Amino acid sequence: MDKKVTLPGLRDLKRAGKKLRMVTAYDFAQAGVVDRSEVELILVGDSLGNAVLGYADTVPVTLEEMLHHTRAVVRGAARTPVVADLPFLSYQVSIEEAVRSAGLLMKAGAAGVKLEGGTPFLETVARLTAVGIPVMGHLGLTPQRVHEFGGYKVQGKAASQAEAILDDALALERVGIFALVLECVPAPVARIITEQLAIPTIGIGAGPHCDGQVLVLHDLLGLTQGMRPKFVKRYLQGADLAGKALADYCREVAEGIFPGPEHSFTMPEEQERLLRDVLDGRR
Ligand code: KIV
């Protein structure tokens, strides 16, 4: 299957009414699995912090960590465009720093970058797109601001707040983003924004009316433990299956079942005899 998806081509897919599928990946093996699926876009999300590195949230994730994991994902994604997150503090300080950070992610092989926020970053997005760096927007619950929000809370429940998100979405589109992630906003709000934009919206906890959906791979595969947000659907009980596989491995090693002959290497019989004779002679 040839995917032939390009970031500028996403608008046409929206116009054609195609539902887009994006998932995160953080390493070479995960990227390979996703690349062989029908998923159109891979996101190296800064959810790397929670899903892979064991941080409490995405705030501690560094540009160096994002670069390291983006390179690995790009090596595993032969056919699927990879978008990489700009982590906290890699684009907020100045437009120059944003260009440098985004440029390094592009040099690592990303096809585009994603940043969180609207009005404060319009000039930044304009500059990035002007120098040839495709930008995906991210509005609603933007996890890099979790401390300001006081938790992972749905955004845009009040009409005035929803209107502000819509205005940010329209402004981001005007300065050139190629797609917009909407996270944890009420479905009617996501629907209105989706109807008003020419670029695709990609929802997570934003209901069924977005042009596409995104999930964190570890959530989708059931690898994450603990509390599960309402919007996550597990398509595999990955942690349970992995736990069972490890229990089987431990039992088989303990009982001498693994490794069997099919997992072991042989040597010519006469060489084994010769080895034993030589060792006998040493005694
Ligand atoms: O970091 C991430 O994985 C994300 C998605 C949840 C959209 O930003």
Side-chain angles (χ1 to χ4, degrees):
M1 181 194 34
D2 193 357
K3 291 192 178 173
K4 286 207 182 99
V5 174
T6 63
L7 302 187
L10 293 176
R11 260 174 199 261
D12 298 334
L13 296 181
K14 170 171 180 147
R15 222 174 292 128
K18 175 157 175 58
K19 285 278 186 188
L20 300 169
R21 287 76 48 103
M22 178 162 88
V23 295
T24 64
Y26 312 98
D27 67 26
F28 176 77
Q30 292 162 7
V33 171
V34 177
D35 195 51
R36 289 186 286 278
S37 77
E38 290 180 26
V39 161
E40 281 90 7
L41 286 173
I42 294 178
L43 174 68
V44 188
D46 60 357
S47 51
L48 169 74
N50 323 53
V52 174
L53 301 179
Y55 299 151
D57 50 56
T58 60
V59 174
V61 176
T62 65
L63 182 61
E64 286 65 36
E65 288 165 340
M66 288 304 301
L67 288 167
H68 180 70
H69 286 268
T70 298
R71 285 189 202 103
V73 168
V74 166
R75 286 193 285 268
R79 306 172 315 152
T80 316
V82 174
V83 177
D85 263 344
L86 282 162
F88 181 66
L89 218 58
S90 71
Y91 60 97
Q92 288 90 343
V93 175
S94 69
I95 293 179
E96 288 69 27
E97 263 193 55
V99 172
R100 183 167 303 282
S101 304
L104 289 172
L105 288 168
M106 299 297 283
K107 279 177 174 284
V113 301
K114 175 164 79 59
L115 61 77
E116 297 182 5
T119 307
F121 300 105
L122 296 179
E123 272 184 58
T124 303
V125 172
R127 180 85 182 120
L128 291 173
T129 53
V131 299
I133 299 176
V135 182
M136 177 180 272
H138 186 158
L139 294 174
L141 171 55
T142 44
Q144 291 175 14
R145 301 185 93 123
V146 63
H147 298 294
E148 182 192 356
F149 292 145
Y152 296 96
K153 296 177 181 161
V154 177
Q155 302 295 307
K157 280 189 162 189
S160 58
Q161 207 192 20
E163 190 185 4
I165 299 173
L166 170 64
D167 287 344
D168 271 351
L170 291 167
L172 283 169
E173 181 175 66
R174 277 195 296 276
V175 291
I177 59 167
F178 66 85
L180 175 67
V181 167
L182 289 173
E183 179 162 354
C184 287
V185 297
V189 175
R191 178 178 212 158
I192 291 168
I193 295 173
T194 300
E195 284 166 359
Q196 297 218 9
L197 296 184
I199 53 159
T201 57
I202 302 182
I204 176 162
H209 308 297
C210 292
D211 299 302
Q213 295 293 325
V214 54
L215 277 180
V216 167
L217 186 69
H218 289 48
D219 290 340
L220 186 158
L221 298 180
L223 295 172
T224 34
Q225 310 277 348
M227 205 197 71
R228 179 173 15 147
K230 176 184 163 106
F231 58 78
V232 167
K233 179 168 177 182
R234 283 188 183 147
Y235 289 83
L236 187 75
Q237 301 304 323
D240 295 347
L241 291 174
K244 186 181 171 318
L246 288 167
D248 288 347
Y249 166 71
C250 289
R251 182 181 48 75
E252 289 199 357
V253 171
E255 294 176 3
I257 297 169
F258 177 81
E262 70 277 30
H263 303 112
S264 306
F265 301 101
T266 57
M267 67 192 291
E269 267 176 35
E270 75 278 4
Q271 292 298 318
E272 186 182 343
R273 249 192 324 269
L274 187 60
L275 175 64
R276 288 187 185 282
D277 289 348
V278 168
L279 295 180
D280 282 349
R282 277 214 227 157
R283 288 207 197 107

